[in-house]
Structure formats: C-alpha cells, structure tokens
C-alpha cells in the first residue's frame, strides 16, 4: 500500500511540475510576444501549447493567423484555436467563430460562427458579444431579432474588457455613414 501511495504522490508532483513549466514557458513567451519578438516567442508558445496550456494554444493560433514569427497558416491557426476553445477559453472560442464567419481555415458557416460567438459571449468576451449582437441585427447565421441585438450590443459596450473600444468603433463608423453602425448606435443609446 505504501508503494502505491508513493507512486501516486510522485505522479502528482510530476504533473504539478509539468503544469508549472507550461505556465513558466507561457509567461516567457507572452513577454516576448508582447515585445513583438514573435520569432523568439513561437518556440516557447509551442512548447507550452503542446503541454496543454490554453492561453499558449490561443496565442500560437494568433501567430499562425497573423503570420507572426511563422508563415501565415489559417488551418494551423484554427487547429490551435480549437484546442484552446475545448478548454473553454473565451478568446479562443471567439477566434474559432471568426474563422467560421470569415472562412479562414474552414468552410464559411455563419451558423457555426454564431454558435461560437454565443458561447464566448456568455463567457463574457466583449468581441463575441458585439459579433453576436451584430448577427442578430443583420439576421446572419441566426434569425434577426432587434431585442437580442440590443441586449448583446449593450453588454459588449458595457464590458470592462474592450467595451470602450467597441463603443468608439461603432460611433466612429456611424459618423462615417455606415448604416449598420448607425442602427447599432440607436439601439445602444435607447
């Protein structure tokens, strides 16, 4: 019995050490990424992502999506986003939705895009809330519903993480004459 407990303890310690090293790799990679040193960030992101670190998987997807430190590759971007999204990381779920919306790395599918936006929106992602509100406003991938559009657009602009930027974007586009932005502006001002 003592032997089994010793083995279980050793496994637990090993798993903790592995998780810590993934966190450490990610922190180092994020610092390099934030400094725009993508070439140096990618190997560390890849190592952390391979260990299952959801934020590293998402950022590695961004690297492939934008061609930062690697050749742009929509299929690779989608694969890394999906791995992160499976761990309920809202940014990654939103990114998968954008891939479906834009047909990047996957066949365009507005319904699947909306499904992903809805999940990420419920997890509090402002960009997903905005995209979901816009989808309801325009009836793309979902039946048009002005009440739901208002609800999600309002949540997006009031979101502490990104809401101010979204509101500024809507107002700027409305000033420039964008009809959708004008409609959104009226909805959120009610």
């Amino acid at each position: 019995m003592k032997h089994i407990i010793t083995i279980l303890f050793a496994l637990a310690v090993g798993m903790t050490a592995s998780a810590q090293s993934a966190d450490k790799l990610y922190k180092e990679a994020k610092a390099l990424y934030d400094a725009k040193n993508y070439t140096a960030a990618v190997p560390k992101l890849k190592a952390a992502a391979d260990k299952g670190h959801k934020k590293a998987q998402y950022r590695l997807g961004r690297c492939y999506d934008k061609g930062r430190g690697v050749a742009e590759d929509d299929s690779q971007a989608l694969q890394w986003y999906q791995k992160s999204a499976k761990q309920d990381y809202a940014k990654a779920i939103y990114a998968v939705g954008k891939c479906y919306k834009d047909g990047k790395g996957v066949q365009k599918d507005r319904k699947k895009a909306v499904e992903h936006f809805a999940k990420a929106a419920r997890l509090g992602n402002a960009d997903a809330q905005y995209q979901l509100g816009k989808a309801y406003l325009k009836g793309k991938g979902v039946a048009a519903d002005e009440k739901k559009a208002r609800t999600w657009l309002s949540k997006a602009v009031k979101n502490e993480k990104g809401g101010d930027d979204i509101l500024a974007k809507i107002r700027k586009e409305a000033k420039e004459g964008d009809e959708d932005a004008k409609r959104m502006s009226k909805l959120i001002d009610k």
Side-chain angles (χ1 to χ4, degrees), residues 65-128:
D65 191 359
K66 305 296 181 188
R68 294 179 177 158
V70 291
E72 191 172 317
D73 185 330
D74 293 340
S75 295
Q76 280 291 311
L78 177 64
Q79 287 176 27
W80 286 110
Y81 287 151
Q82 287 174 324
K83 287 179 183 190
S84 179
K86 285 179 184 171
Q87 297 184 66
D88 286 334
Y89 190 50
K91 285 183 179 183
I93 297 166
Y94 166 73
V96 172
K98 284 280 291 171
C99 289
Y100 277 109
K101 177 183 173 277
D102 299 335
K104 289 183 75 173
V106 69
Q107 183 73 32
K108 240 185 206 188
D109 187 329
R110 293 292 258 172
K111 286 186 180 187
K112 283 188 179 180
V114 168
E115 288 171 16
H116 285 86
F117 293 153
K119 184 174 182 181
R122 287 190 299 273
L123 290 171
N125 183 278
D127 292 320

Side-chain angles (χ1 to χ4, degrees), residues 141-158:
V142 68
D145 185 325
E146 193 171 287
K147 185 178 178 184
K148 288 181 180 177
R150 179 183 305 114
T151 297
W152 286 110
L153 290 168
S154 294
K155 285 182 182 196
V157 299
K158 292 175 185 171

Side-chain angles (χ1 to χ4, degrees), residues 41-77:
V42 168
K44 290 179 182 282
L45 285 173
K46 176 86 167 76
D50 284 340
K51 291 176 181 271
H53 196 284
K54 66 185 178 184
K55 290 182 180 181
Q57 292 168 337
Y58 165 76
R59 276 201 198 260
L60 188 56
R62 292 280 297 169
C63 288
Y64 281 107
D65 191 359
K66 305 296 181 188
R68 294 179 177 158
V70 291
E72 191 172 317
D73 185 330
D74 293 340
S75 295
Q76 280 291 311

